[in-house]
Amino acid sequence: MIETGLATNACGIARVLMNKNKRVLVTGADGFIGSHLTEMLLREGYTVRALVQYNSLGSWGWLDDAARSDALEIVSGDIRDAHFCQQLTREIDVIFHLAALIAIPYSYVAPASYLDTNANGTLNLCQAALDNQVERFIHTSTSEVYGSARQVPISESHPLQAQSPYSASKIAADAMAMSYHCAFELPLSIARPFNTYGPRQSARAVIPAIICQIASGRQQIELGDLSPTRDFNYVEDTCRGFLALARCPEAIGETVNIGSNTEISIKDTLFLIRELMGSDTVFVTDEQRLRPKASEVTRLVCDNSRMVGLTGHEPRVAIREGLQRTIDWLCEPQNLKRYHAELYNV
């Protein structure tokens, strides 16, 4: 597995790099983070099999606009089907598992579908990876599993609190994934990103919701609760974190946060976006965007010391720069037209 020899991480531990001859599978490659990760892997010279959600329109999501490459194989399917997962993971060396249902509001409406996709889908992939002797499996968690912070910054030892059906399904998925490492020695790591943002993110998320409403010329923008705080991490930094974990044998069997170690409220995020966009728009509360009181996660801030210690990876893009990049992308007419600022879809 040696690419250019041994590298040394921040702790001085020699580690073997992930060979670029390895075949990589990205599940959820049609989505926000998955499409960026797929493109990053291709830029770095990997051969990628990209799983997109099967649909009758034949859409590849955000990969519809991806540059065609002999190094990219796009497969349509569904991780809820165990037989399909067996076929999907054949001749694959490294898996980045990002496929999931992630919209928190919709998890209040259809909780069983979240359990089926997120927990059972992860079970199917882990079993298939074991059967097909996959060398490395990076499973994607979420900071939502921590719930509202009991202490900050939040380390990986923080208690897990299921404050939404979505977070409950991800706690179950994480437990299933780690059980395959403990019981069957699947070489697995759990990547736990905090709030990733950037180009292509769904307008259900707060940052694109703010930007696209302002960019559409609305004088009043509709949002939910502005008081929660978040640790926002630019999408390129999140993807670099995934790669850093895949290249680090010491991370096998570990759960590792990916975040920026910074905290900002939704209100201050709104003000910063308004400043960057030169807007004087006002905020109004949209009741349908409010979570049930006990379900709202009021505070999230990442302790990324385990990531830094294991891999040396630290975020490079500060929030002002990341927001400006996101604004610039969303304000391009061909991108803004993909979003419907006047609508709120769960």
Side-chain angles (χ1 to χ4, degrees):
M1 293 180 64
I2 297 176
E3 178 182 89
T4 56
L6 293 178
T8 303
N9 68 9
C11 294
I13 301 172
R15 58 184 175 85
V16 181
L17 298 178
M18 188 171 73
N19 191 311
K20 291 182 181 177
N21 292 324
K22 300 296 183 181
R23 288 185 56 85
V24 178
L25 168 66
V26 179
T27 72
D30 47 342
F32 163 46
I33 300 175
S35 63
H36 283 281
L37 179 60
T38 297
E39 291 174 349
M40 182 176 287
L41 287 161
L42 290 170
R43 287 195 301 270
E44 297 212 0
Y46 293 99
T47 299
V48 180
R49 179 177 296 166
L51 173 65
V52 303
Q53 177 73 26
Y54 175 82
N55 61 89
S56 61
L57 299 177
S59 171
W60 292 343
W62 288 112
L63 291 185
D64 278 340
D65 298 327
R68 299 298 175 257
S69 168
D70 291 340
L72 175 62
E73 174 192 6
I74 298 178
V75 177
S76 295
D78 195 320
I79 62 169
R80 293 176 297 176
D81 189 289
H83 177 71
F84 169 76
C85 288
Q86 289 286 336
Q87 297 178 333
L88 178 69
T89 55
R90 287 175 186 160
E91 299 180 348
I92 290 294
D93 302 305
V94 180
I95 295 175
F96 294 94
H97 173 36
L98 287 82
L101 286 177
I102 63 170
I104 294 169
Y106 188 60
S107 77
Y108 305 133
V109 177
S113 62
Y114 280 69
L115 192 62
D116 195 16
T117 298
N118 297 348
N120 288 336
T122 295
L123 167 62
N124 292 337
L125 274 172
C126 286
Q127 184 62 53
L130 189 69
D131 292 343
N132 287 314
Q133 299 181 321
V134 169
E135 297 176 10
R136 201 74 172 80
F137 192 116
I138 307 298
H139 166 74
T140 307
S141 179
T142 168
S143 60
E144 283 284 326
V145 301
Y146 294 126
S148 296
R150 298 186 185 183
Q151 66 268 344
V152 294
I154 298 173
S155 72
E156 294 82 357
S157 63
H158 188 283
L160 305 183
Q161 304 171 96
Q163 291 180 218
S164 66
Y166 164 64
S167 61
S169 73
K170 292 298 287 184
I171 290 171
D174 295 355
M176 182 59 68
M178 190 55 72
S179 78
Y180 264 73
H181 169 71
C182 296
F184 308 114
E185 298 184 346
L186 182 65
L188 176 141
S189 302
I190 295 178
R192 187 164 284 160
F194 278 63
N195 294 81
T196 303
Y197 72 99
R200 306 177 191 163
Q201 188 174 23
S202 166
R204 295 176 180 87
V206 67
I207 287 176
I210 295 169
I211 295 170
C212 69
Q213 288 186 75
I214 294 175
S216 298
R218 303 188 71 182
Q219 290 305 302
Q220 287 189 334
I221 64 171
E222 299 175 342
L223 296 171
D225 189 355
L226 298 188
S227 64
T229 68
R230 295 292 184 260
D231 184 315
F232 288 117
N233 202 39
Y234 191 64
V235 63
E236 285 184 8
D237 284 329
T238 296
C239 291
R240 291 188 191 104
F242 277 101
L243 282 172
L245 290 176
R247 292 166 170 165
C248 180
E250 294 81 14
I252 292 174
E254 298 287 342
T255 298
V256 185
N257 289 339
I258 303 177
S260 67
N261 262 45
T262 60
E263 182 179 19
I264 185 171
S265 69
I266 304 301
K267 181 178 180 180
D268 287 342
T269 304
L270 167 62
F271 289 166
L272 180 52
I273 292 171
R274 289 199 315 181
E275 175 193 336
L276 291 170
M277 297 184 73
S279 171
D280 59 359
T281 187
V282 298
F283 151 76
V284 295
T285 301
D286 180 2
E287 295 294 330
Q288 66 178 333
R289 298 176 191 248
L290 296 173
R291 294 196 203 181
K293 185 175 180 180
S295 185
E296 179 62 80
V297 174
T298 57
R299 193 176 185 193
L300 286 174
V301 54
C302 176
D303 178 350
N304 66 3
S305 58
R306 181 176 293 180
M307 170 65 84
V308 175
L310 284 170
T311 72
H313 167 79
E314 294 185 83
R316 302 175 188 174
V317 182
I319 189 164
R320 177 178 285 270
E321 178 185 353
L323 287 175
Q324 187 63 64
R325 292 188 194 181
T326 308
I327 291 165
D328 292 344
W329 183 88
L330 261 171
C331 286
E332 293 179 10
Q334 69 270 26
N335 296 326
L336 186 60
K337 72 180 181 181
R338 293 173 178 257
Y339 293 78
H340 301 283
E342 73 283 1
L343 300 177
Y344 174 64
N345 295 314
V346 298

